[in-house]
Amino acid sequence: MTFVLHPALCCPIDAAPLVMDELSLVCEHGHRFDVARQGYVNLLSPKDKRSKDPGDSRKMVSARAAFLNADFYQPLARACLDITLGYCSTVTDGRITLMDAGCGDGYYLHYVQENLPNSFRARSSLIGFDISKWAVQQSARRCDGTWFVGSNRHIPMADASVDLLFDMFGFPDYSTFRRVLAPHGKLVRVTPGDRHLIQLREIIYPNIKPRHVKTHYPETFNVVSEKHITYEITLGPQDLKCLLLMTPHMFRSTFERRQQALNHDQLTLTVDVIFEELEATTTE
């Protein structure tokens, strides 16, 4: 796929603008980052790299791609599209930058891009990043865009450069999100509800604690809308295996209890997810 350089992309070392130089990105101070043949660039700061291969493994990313490609979470992708359509309809001119922070395999941004009307798609720029290089490689295979390896703590983008920022089941860094959001931009937080995958969790854990606690956001953000999405999916053993592998459940549960779940020919699960749209507060 083709790497697309967003004009607001910055050097992760000194925050200077990046420009293309053949097959690399360079800043005015000489820092150089090679664009991989898969269509992405690694901009992860060494101080954010706490292991040799951070983030989801190749196997976890493959499992996530297989699960999401089966469209079990398509209603969630549709909600992302609806939010994007609503935002785009309020912007009459100029380009719109859509970012997925912790983009995983790129399923949600790709769905949005594929289903946007041509008038909106023509003036929309896609940016996705993840701390896992395997995830970003998968994202870059899905569609052209600005894909890079990076962390929420240090997003290499200019201030006020992102219009719509999606945080799908991620680990937010609100100060960084606030910095990169445009004055009229929105942050979309997507989090699991209390009954999300409850049937699976009851099998693999001896005790179930309430999962969803009302998020208390910093004063820099205001919640302007909330939507609760709940529906059921029925999975076979292979789908269950992919679901387990793509989530922390694989590492938090015992082998015996995971096997109990996989022994089901079919298992019906509740999807329970909360979408919150937030706007940055203004300073007087």
Side-chain angles (χ1 to χ4, degrees):
M1 303 300 288
T2 302
F3 176 80
V4 179
L5 175 61
H6 192 283
L9 199 62
C10 296
C11 175
I13 299 173
D14 56 26
L18 290 171
V19 298
M20 290 293 301
D21 180 19
E22 296 183 349
L23 298 179
S24 299
L25 303 183
V26 296
C27 76
E28 61 186 3
H29 302 111
H31 301 123
R32 179 176 294 269
F33 308 91
D34 294 335
V35 176
R37 58 182 175 81
Q38 295 94 339
Y40 76 98
V41 63
N42 194 328
L43 299 179
L44 184 64
S45 170
K47 57 188 173 183
D48 292 321
K49 190 174 181 179
R50 298 179 179 178
S51 67
K52 185 177 180 180
D53 190 16
D56 290 349
S57 67
R58 178 185 287 185
K59 185 178 292 187
M60 292 175 69
V61 171
S62 295
R64 177 175 287 108
F67 181 86
L68 292 176
N69 286 342
D71 285 335
F72 292 115
Y73 281 3
Q74 187 183 69
L76 308 185
R78 176 69 209 189
C80 293
L81 174 63
D82 290 343
I83 290 171
T84 303
L85 289 170
Y87 184 86
C88 289
S89 66
T90 67
V91 181
T92 57
D93 57 7
R95 294 199 63 80
I96 300 169
T97 296
L98 312 176
M99 172 179 279
D100 188 349
C103 61
D105 71 318
Y107 173 78
Y108 297 102
L109 270 190
H110 180 238
Y111 184 91
V112 169
Q113 183 198 52
E114 288 294 294
N115 292 281
L116 277 178
N118 290 335
S119 58
F120 289 159
R121 188 188 308 178
R123 57 192 184 94
S124 297
S125 298
L126 301 185
I127 302 180
F129 69 90
D130 199 286
I131 201 169
S132 165
K133 68 177 182 181
W134 308 112
V136 176
Q137 284 180 12
Q138 185 70 33
S139 297
R141 292 189 189 102
R142 285 192 183 271
C143 58
D144 293 340
T146 304
W147 303 103
F148 62 88
V149 181
S151 165
N152 280 346
R153 295 199 305 166
H154 300 100
I155 301 176
M157 293 284 292
D159 295 356
S161 58
V162 177
D163 297 294
L164 201 53
L165 197 166
F166 289 94
D167 177 28
M168 308 288 297
F169 306 105
F171 301 95
D173 187 294
Y174 295 111
S175 61
T176 305
F177 288 173
R178 177 68 178 83
R179 179 184 66 79
V180 301
L181 268 184
H184 301 290
K186 284 187 177 181
L187 167 63
V188 181
R189 285 270 291 139
V190 182
T191 55
D194 193 48
R195 293 191 59 78
H196 187 54
L197 308 180
I198 184 64
Q199 298 87 350
L200 176 62
R201 290 158 51 213
E202 286 176 342
I203 295 172
I204 62 177
Y205 297 125
N207 298 297
I208 302 294
K209 297 179 180 179
R211 184 166 189 169
H212 181 70
V213 178
K214 185 68 176 179
T215 303
H216 294 285
Y217 292 106
E219 294 180 355
T220 49
F221 282 101
N222 288 324
V223 177
V224 293
S225 74
E226 180 177 315
K227 183 178 182 179
H228 207 142
I229 297 177
T230 303
Y231 61 97
E232 291 187 339
I233 56 176
T234 300
L235 308 183
Q238 186 58 39
D239 298 322
L240 279 168
K241 184 177 180 181
C242 288
L243 178 60
L244 280 168
L245 188 54
M246 71 182 246
T247 67
H249 298 312
M250 178 64 93
F251 310 102
R252 294 175 180 170
S253 57
T254 65
F255 172 81
E256 290 76 15
R257 285 184 173 272
R258 291 196 304 271
Q259 200 58 44
Q260 287 181 34
L262 295 175
N263 286 339
H264 287 74
D265 292 331
Q266 285 189 335
L267 188 61
T268 298
L269 304 179
T270 300
V271 176
D272 180 24
V273 175
I274 298 167
F275 278 72
E276 292 176 295
E277 293 182 56
L278 297 90
E279 291 180 347
T281 55
T282 57
T283 54
E284 297 297 332

